[in-house]
Amino acid sequence: MKITVLSGSARHNGNTEYLAKTAVEKHAHTLFKLKDYKILPIDDMRHDPKGFAPVEDDYEAIIEQVLESDILIFATPIYWYGMSGQMKNFIDRWSQSLRDPMLNFKEHMSKKKAYVIICGGDQAKIKGLPLIMQFKHIFEFMGMEFGGYIIGEANAPNDILNNEFALESARRLLS
């Protein structure tokens, strides 16, 4: 079982990343901190007969690992009641992968199980639900199995250490 964690946090060792690491600590995994990679915003060429032009960034290297994975964990803080910009750029670029006939992107993605870990401070368990639904819709579109989610309530660095429910949920996420 190959597990890939995609962390959309803009802070190293933040609350969301801590929850994600807790979820996979007993499993072999690959962690991509998207902030450490150059992933350019999409130049939407979905309807252009020529398709997408090649992009010189790190997206392709990450998507290769994603395609080799069985389980994907999308971990993002709740930023302005949505996913982080890093995560959004990454997922937006899926439109480019969908148009690449060499990838069979949707077919490969449909064989994956996906989880979501989000964390925020402003009533996250309620205000984070639309973000969970957004991921659910993305996974449904791709034909991916949605394995579950965790919403952690934490804001300042290390606040998550006081949220035993979220920590225990993370420990049990892949069991």
Side-chain angles (χ1 to χ4, degrees):
M1 171 173 65
K2 187 168 182 183
I3 301 169
T4 296
V5 178
L6 299 156
S7 174
S9 182
R11 181 182 349 166
H12 281 296
N13 302 313
N15 294 307
T16 308
E17 187 176 314
Y18 189 90
L19 274 182
K21 286 179 177 179
T22 300
V24 297
E25 67 188 355
K26 294 182 179 178
H27 304 276
H29 65 279
T30 302
L31 169 66
F32 287 101
K33 297 179 182 185
L34 297 176
K35 74 180 257 31
D36 293 340
Y37 295 87
K38 180 180 176 185
I39 302 173
L40 296 172
I42 191 165
D43 184 8
D44 190 353
M45 304 297 289
R46 287 176 296 156
H47 304 290
D48 188 303
K50 294 180 226 161
F52 288 89
V55 179
E56 297 296 323
D57 67 1
D58 299 321
Y59 172 79
E60 295 295 331
I62 297 171
I63 212 66
E64 283 179 26
Q65 290 290 319
V66 165
L67 290 173
E68 293 177 9
S69 298
D70 303 301
I71 293 176
L72 301 173
I73 298 175
F74 296 82
T76 180
I78 304 169
Y79 285 165
W80 291 102
Y81 310 101
M83 66 182 73
S84 70
Q86 292 92 333
M87 184 69 74
K88 185 71 168 94
N89 276 347
F90 178 75
I91 292 175
D92 281 351
R93 290 286 294 282
W94 289 11
S95 294
Q96 184 176 349
S97 295
L98 283 165
R99 281 287 306 263
D100 185 341
M102 302 299 291
L103 288 180
N104 293 318
F105 189 66
K106 195 168 185 179
E107 179 184 337
H108 281 85
M109 294 299 280
S110 72
K111 297 173 183 167
K112 303 189 183 322
K113 189 171 190 175
Y115 295 87
V116 177
I117 296 174
I118 63 175
C119 207
D122 183 17
Q123 299 177 32
K125 289 183 180 178
I126 294 170
K127 294 181 179 180
L129 289 174
L131 178 54
I132 297 299
M133 289 306 298
Q134 181 181 15
F135 275 107
K136 182 179 183 291
H137 294 311
I138 290 166
F139 302 153
E140 285 175 356
F141 177 82
M142 298 302 291
M144 299 165 66
E145 180 183 351
F146 187 14
Y149 66 91
I150 297 170
I151 300 177
E153 291 211 26
N155 189 27
N158 298 316
D159 275 356
I160 198 62
L161 299 175
N162 300 316
N163 188 332
E164 190 53 45
F165 180 78
L167 291 168
E168 185 57 31
S169 296
R171 288 183 201 105
R172 291 183 287 126
L173 186 68
L174 299 177
S175 57

